[in-house]
Amino acid sequence: MKAFQIQNLLRVATVSVALAVTGVAAQAQPGHGPRGGPAMMAPDGLFGGHMEHLLDAVNATDGQRSQIDAIFKAARQDLSGQRDAGMKLHQQMAALYTATNIDAAAIEALRVQISAQRETASKRLSQASIDAARVLTPEQRAKIAELMKKRQARMAGRHAG
């Protein structure tokens, strides 16, 4: 998987953590819009400061911050191992589409492999999000839910105009 794809998958964890932490995942609409989810994670830290902002807002302790940092660092490490395999799959897909004859069965088989790899990454991120949510108190999770509702309202206002 390309580095930016892994980063994008990890960025989804920001929204996942917020949803897991808030307990509103069941109410979430599919998709994250053009800027949500994947656009939130930086390769060198917890969500490019977004998670730090949330942790600041809920007065997370140093211990909580350390635990959450370790959780997502481990997830990044686990997913980085998929990078080379993912790159090869995408190169194979490009080769299939540029071949003289289009082999629909081969393309579909490769699509299934890519989809399975993404599913594995999604499961890993979901587990990291659950683990991070368990580090916070119910009061902290409720505060994050409140902040996320406000953010969603702001984003909806931007897209409505």
Side-chain angles (χ1 to χ4, degrees):
M1 203 175 269
K2 293 181 182 176
F4 75 89
Q5 289 173 320
I6 290 172
Q7 292 168 359
N8 283 345
L9 288 172
L10 289 171
R11 288 177 187 140
V12 171
T14 293
V15 173
S16 300
V17 167
L19 294 176
V21 167
T22 64
V24 297
Q27 299 172 9
Q29 294 293 325
H32 299 291
R35 293 298 238 167
M40 294 184 191
M41 175 112 182
D44 58 346
L46 281 176
F47 310 104
H50 294 279
M51 181 57 72
E52 286 300 320
H53 172 73
L54 288 175
L55 294 177
D56 288 344
V58 299
N59 297 317
T61 66
D62 289 342
Q64 288 174 315
R65 291 169 191 269
S66 294
Q67 284 181 284
I68 291 171
D69 187 40
I71 288 165
F72 286 106
K73 183 177 181 180
R76 279 193 302 273
Q77 276 185 317
D78 291 349
L79 293 172
S80 70
Q82 295 182 10
R83 184 176 301 135
D84 289 340
M87 287 174 61
K88 287 178 184 174
L89 290 174
H90 285 278
Q91 289 167 351
Q92 290 173 9
M93 186 67 83
L96 288 171
Y97 275 108
T98 58
T100 303
N101 295 313
I102 300 297
D103 184 345
I107 290 170
E108 175 59 15
L110 199 52
R111 184 202 63 78
V112 169
Q113 288 179 9
I114 292 169
S115 181
Q117 187 178 38
R118 289 180 178 163
E119 177 66 15
T120 298
S122 176
K123 285 180 182 180
R124 179 62 182 97
L125 290 173
S126 180
Q127 185 59 54
S129 298
I130 291 166
D131 293 344
R134 288 180 174 153
V135 170
L136 300 173
T137 67
E139 294 79 16
Q140 288 171 316
R141 295 191 306 264
K143 175 69 175 177
I144 289 174
E146 180 184 321
L147 293 170
M148 292 306 294
K149 277 186 179 181
K150 288 178 182 177
R151 182 182 184 281
Q152 288 172 342
R154 283 191 315 269
M155 295 304 287
R158 288 182 187 174
H159 296 342

